Amino acid sequence: ALLRTPPRAHSPRTHASRMHRASAVVRRAIARVAPGKSSSSSSTMLTQQRQKTRAHASVAVVGGGFAGVACACELKHLGIERVVVFDGGRALGGRASARGASDGARWDHGARFIERDSGDDTSAWNAYIDEGLVKGYFKPWTNGAFGAIDARTGKFVEELKSTGDRLVGDLGFGATCEAATKDAGVDVFTSARVVGFDIDDSDDNQGCFSVRYKSAVPGDGDDAKTSSGYRFVVLADKNLASERVIRAYGERPPIESLNVPDIARAMQGVESRPVLALMVTLNREARVPFVGADVDGCETLAWIANESSKPGRVRDTQCWVAHSTDAYAASVLSRAAMDTRVGTAAHEDWLPGGPPRT
């Protein structure tokens, strides 16, 4: 969702409400700030003025997953002077999170891999991938076979799709997001949980957004900080509209401070489902005919992969990851567990018992 404040306005005006494609948000943002050139002299003067506006524009992107990062990088490449990403996680990546250990072990426990998208409004996403390939953020995952394994028979059927279509990051997707934003000149605030927005009435930033955020690091205190001067705000995290914020933090959803109920309802309608991830290191090589496989006919497992087979990984670590089915995760994760956060008593109480072992 893209929000823009007109100069000297005291309420935001909505220009786009589609959240599911980062590139759609980017194109609408750029179209508002600096549309294409025209042959007429009057239109040329207007375009020049808008290009000047674009050079001094500022955008806050709330959400540092792939959508938010791709959007932020594209905006910066298109000439937006100041682009800032806010994310409540310890690192960028969102649902494409990764974990690592001191011995070189590393797991992409969120996204399995990424690939180009041939659907509508995907130009920014594909441009982000192309740039990542050129700069080495992403590399094809080609070291082994992919397919599906039947849990009932143990039979593996290899997929005919080219393995070169599956792309991964050398050091995990979070590291690729960090490298991309750094190269693009995007400013990043991690462990920054956005709690609300204001319209700034100060002389320097009149009519702009201010972003209020708190540290997500346990023990850092509960005081909110403010970052000001944003003409545009991109909402790239559906949790901004989620009532989970009420249950986990005792606060109202941040989007309510913007008074944009249509966008809030659309964001609340974005579906997501929990999945459990198991990360293990084996003490010997697994003798299986695949490096990544969907699991058919199993109520518990949906995917299993050899993370050490990905490019740039330490080969002798034998890191594997398994993803549960949606149904299994829903059956063992209570609503209370989903609403906990790191550092709270409820979170600690849930961890020792954990999901039942199978």
Side-chain angles (χ1 to χ4, degrees):
L2 168 68
L3 302 178
R4 176 184 186 271
T5 57
R8 299 186 179 276
H10 292 274
S11 61
R13 185 171 43 151
T14 302
H15 285 284
S17 59
R18 297 184 64 187
M19 289 73 63
H20 67 289
R21 298 291 186 192
S23 52
V25 174
V26 174
R27 285 213 297 271
R28 284 165 171 77
I30 298 305
R32 295 292 177 180
V33 179
K37 294 183 178 181
S38 170
S39 58
S40 68
S41 58
S42 60
S43 295
T44 299
M45 292 177 63
L46 180 61
T47 298
Q48 291 173 345
Q49 178 61 38
R50 284 173 170 163
Q51 288 174 336
K52 182 179 179 180
T53 300
R54 175 171 68 175
H56 296 284
S58 57
V59 181
V61 179
V62 184
F66 269 136
V69 168
C71 178
C73 292
E74 184 74 355
L75 287 169
K76 194 66 179 178
H77 293 328
L78 290 171
I80 300 299
E81 180 182 46
R82 181 186 178 217
V83 181
V84 182
V85 172
F86 296 85
D87 192 81
R90 291 172 294 180
L92 297 175
R95 294 182 181 273
S97 297
R99 289 290 184 272
S102 58
D103 62 355
R106 187 166 297 276
W107 302 266
D108 290 324
H109 65 85
R112 304 172 181 181
F113 50 84
I114 62 172
E115 54 190 352
R116 288 184 177 84
D117 195 333
S118 59
D120 296 334
D121 293 333
T122 59
S123 59
W125 171 248
N126 290 334
Y128 175 66
I129 288 181
D130 290 340
E131 181 183 12
L133 286 169
V134 170
K135 293 188 174 182
Y137 307 149
F138 306 128
K139 293 183 179 178
W141 186 10
T142 58
N143 187 29
F146 296 85
I149 185 169
D150 191 318
R152 294 157 296 197
T153 65
K155 182 180 180 181
F156 172 71
V157 178
E158 186 173 354
E159 188 179 272
L160 297 180
K161 176 182 177 180
S162 170
T163 55
D165 295 336
R166 299 175 176 86
L167 304 175
V168 297
D170 276 4
L171 299 177
F173 288 127
T176 64
C177 289
E178 182 180 352
T181 52
K182 182 178 180 179
D183 287 350
V186 174
D187 294 327
V188 175
F189 288 88
T190 53
S191 296
R193 183 176 64 84
V194 171
V195 297
F197 305 88
D198 299 299
I199 304 299
D200 198 336
D201 289 328
S202 67
D203 292 338
D204 293 336
N205 297 312
Q206 190 162 22
C208 292
F209 286 104
S210 290
V211 179
R212 288 182 280 115
Y213 63 96
K214 295 181 179 180
S215 173
V217 178
D220 268 8
D222 200 45
D223 295 334
K225 300 178 181 179
T226 300
S227 181
S228 304
Y230 301 102
R231 186 66 64 188
F232 297 86
V233 172
V234 177
L235 306 179
D237 180 358
K238 78 182 193 68
N239 287 316
L240 293 167
S242 173
E243 292 192 355
R244 177 183 179 275
V245 176
I246 303 173
R247 301 188 295 269
Y249 299 99
E251 301 168 352
R252 300 301 305 174
I255 199 171
E256 290 186 3
S257 61
L258 292 170
N259 192 27
V260 284
D262 290 346
I263 290 180
R265 283 192 294 271
M267 293 179 73
Q268 289 164 358
V270 176
E271 184 181 8
S272 65
R273 296 180 297 274
V275 171
L276 297 174
L278 173 67
M279 296 170 284
V280 299
T281 300
L282 304 181
N283 58 13
R284 62 181 182 275
E285 183 179 355
R287 298 186 181 279
V288 294
F290 60 84
V291 296
D294 293 305
V295 182
D296 295 334
C298 182
E299 296 180 356
T300 305
L301 287 178
W303 165 260
I304 183 170
N306 181 352
E307 293 291 301
S308 297
S309 70
K310 293 180 176 179
R313 308 301 170 90
V314 179
R315 296 294 183 187
D316 59 3
T317 54
Q318 288 299 308
C319 297
W320 284 74
V321 67
H323 288 172
S324 74
T325 61
D326 297 347
Y328 178 74
S331 71
V332 300
L333 282 176
S334 66
R335 174 168 163 170
M338 290 297 294
D339 289 339
T340 62
R341 67 184 191 277
V342 175
T344 63
H347 184 268
E348 297 302 322
D349 288 344
W350 186 80
L351 284 179
R357 302 189 180 203
T358 58

